[in-house]
Amino acid sequence: MEEIAPGIFIETGYPPYNLALVAVDDCGIAIDFPPRPSHAHQWLKEAQAVVGQLRYVVITNASPERQVAAALCKIPIIAAEATLRTIAAQDERTWRELLQDVASLYPEEAVEIMALSPHRVTIAFNRCFMMHHRTPPLTLETVEGAEPGSLWLTVPGHHLLFAGDTVAVDEPPPLERTADSKAWLNSLGHLMKRSKIYQIVPGRGKAPILRGDVEQQREFLRVMRRTARTLAHKRHNNVNYTQPAQDLGQVFFNQSGQKAVKRIRHGLERLVLEIQPPTIEDSPETTL
């Protein structure tokens, strides 16, 4: 665990996420939680040893792994309203399917994962939320375009932003559930203009980074969108995602190897679905 500013700690040793702690008064606020049960239990012990009781856990989006992480932590949750609605909408069948998907990533701990119940959000907001445990207060805001329920948490006193999966520099950002890639690009553009933000803690990979490093991700998303537009105009049976994914992985994430190529391929498939014009078969019937 590294203290990157007074009372602000980050932990990068529990993949896939970067975790964080913010000391407030005589307790602490955690930012994200590990989705792997053994990691979650160990992280909770370490966090409490540093900041005492955890008052809240901020969940930075509504992805399946973060829903499982929320279910593991059993601590009051702060999240975007979209995350609240996503968790509240889980019926028994969809929740079990979600657990099965996450358990497949950690098969040796699948029994504990499959026994989890959804953990409801305690405090939700739909635009901006301020926590006055610090001066100036911590600021949380929703972010458009990336994973559903994405949010940012700013610590103004230290010019620091926790960005969740909306920012990734040394590995591809997860694109499988991107709501609006153009809106995501716009959100990153607005971030680049925030002169009072000096450092950013991404949800994954290298942390912290400088605000200027985000330009690399913006270029990656621009190229991904251009590539997806090219692929979208080909016939379905002629689309080859493998080669463009390998090319993009080599250009942007050469150090990450096939793991990056796999995520890029999934991202291209999602972006093609986002921007692909409807086919004749998909178009509504018209009457003459």
Side-chain angles (χ1 to χ4, degrees), residues 183-199:
W184 190 353
L185 264 175
N186 290 338
S187 295
L188 294 178
H190 294 316
L191 175 56
M192 290 293 293
K193 298 175 182 177
R194 292 194 179 184
S195 59
K196 293 184 179 180
I197 298 294
Y198 299 167
Q199 292 189 99

Side-chain angles (χ1 to χ4, degrees), residues 134-150:
R134 277 175 166 249
T135 303
L138 304 175
T139 302
L140 295 91
E141 60 190 297
T142 57
V143 185
E144 296 295 328
E147 288 264 7
S150 291

Side-chain angles (χ1 to χ4, degrees), residues 11-279:
E11 173 59 66
T12 60
Y14 294 113
Y17 303 137
N18 295 327
L19 311 172
L21 291 173
V22 180
V24 291
D25 301 331
D26 58 348
C27 60
I29 296 170
I31 302 172
D32 281 325
F33 220 75
R36 183 172 186 150
S38 59
H39 288 179
H41 303 323
Q42 183 61 32
W43 168 240
L44 179 60
K45 291 179 183 179
E46 293 179 10
Q48 290 174 332
V50 172
V51 298
Q53 178 189 4
L54 288 183
R55 181 70 56 86
Y56 296 105
V57 174
V58 175
I59 300 298
T60 56
N61 64 46
S63 66
E65 285 185 83
R66 280 184 168 83
Q67 290 186 56
V68 167
L72 282 165
C73 75
K74 302 302 182 184
I75 296 168
I77 294 173
I78 300 174
E81 184 178 354
T83 299
L84 179 149
R85 291 182 177 180
T86 299
I87 295 176
Q90 298 283 8
D91 58 26
E92 184 175 346
R93 177 181 176 181
T94 57
W95 177 247
R96 184 169 183 80
E97 290 173 348
L98 181 150
L99 291 179
Q100 288 173 339
D101 289 342
V102 176
S104 68
L105 303 174
Y106 312 106
E108 65 278 13
E109 301 186 45
V111 172
E112 184 171 353
I113 292 174
M114 294 304 299
L116 294 172
S117 300
H119 186 27
R120 307 298 184 184
V121 173
T122 308
I123 298 175
F125 62 98
N126 59 14
R127 291 190 66 183
C128 187
F129 177 71
M130 303 184 77
M131 298 188 68
H132 291 267
H133 284 280
R134 277 175 166 249
T135 303
L138 304 175
T139 302
L140 295 91
E141 60 190 297
T142 57
V143 185
E144 296 295 328
E147 288 264 7
S150 291
L151 63 80
W152 288 343
L153 185 151
T154 304
V155 187
H158 297 297
H159 307 282
L160 180 64
L161 171 71
F162 291 92
D165 284 340
T166 63
V167 172
V169 172
D170 58 350
E171 63 178 88
L175 293 158
E176 294 90 337
R177 289 170 295 275
T178 300
D180 183 340
S181 58
K182 184 176 181 181
W184 190 353
L185 264 175
N186 290 338
S187 295
L188 294 178
H190 294 316
L191 175 56
M192 290 293 293
K193 298 175 182 177
R194 292 194 179 184
S195 59
K196 293 184 179 180
I197 298 294
Y198 299 167
Q199 292 189 99
I200 298 170
V201 177
R204 306 168 189 248
K206 177 184 175 182
I209 63 172
L210 299 177
R211 177 167 48 89
D213 295 336
V214 174
E215 184 55 41
Q216 176 182 329
Q217 183 186 349
R218 293 179 69 203
E219 179 60 18
F220 171 70
L221 287 177
R222 284 192 287 260
V223 174
M224 285 284 286
R225 282 172 50 82
R226 288 198 296 268
T227 304
R229 279 195 293 269
T230 299
L231 295 172
H233 287 88
K234 296 182 178 181
R235 295 179 62 87
H236 291 288
N237 57 353
N238 290 330
V239 175
N240 176 10
Y241 292 98
T242 302
Q243 190 59 53
Q246 290 176 343
D247 293 342
L248 288 167
Q250 187 173 17
V251 171
F252 287 96
F253 306 104
N254 194 35
Q255 299 297 322
S256 299
Q258 287 303 307
K259 179 181 178 181
V261 171
K262 182 178 179 180
R263 187 177 293 173
I264 291 169
R265 178 186 174 121
H266 290 325
L268 285 173
E269 292 172 352
R270 175 67 187 91
L271 293 181
V272 166
L273 290 175
E274 178 188 350
I275 67 179
Q276 191 169 44
T279 63

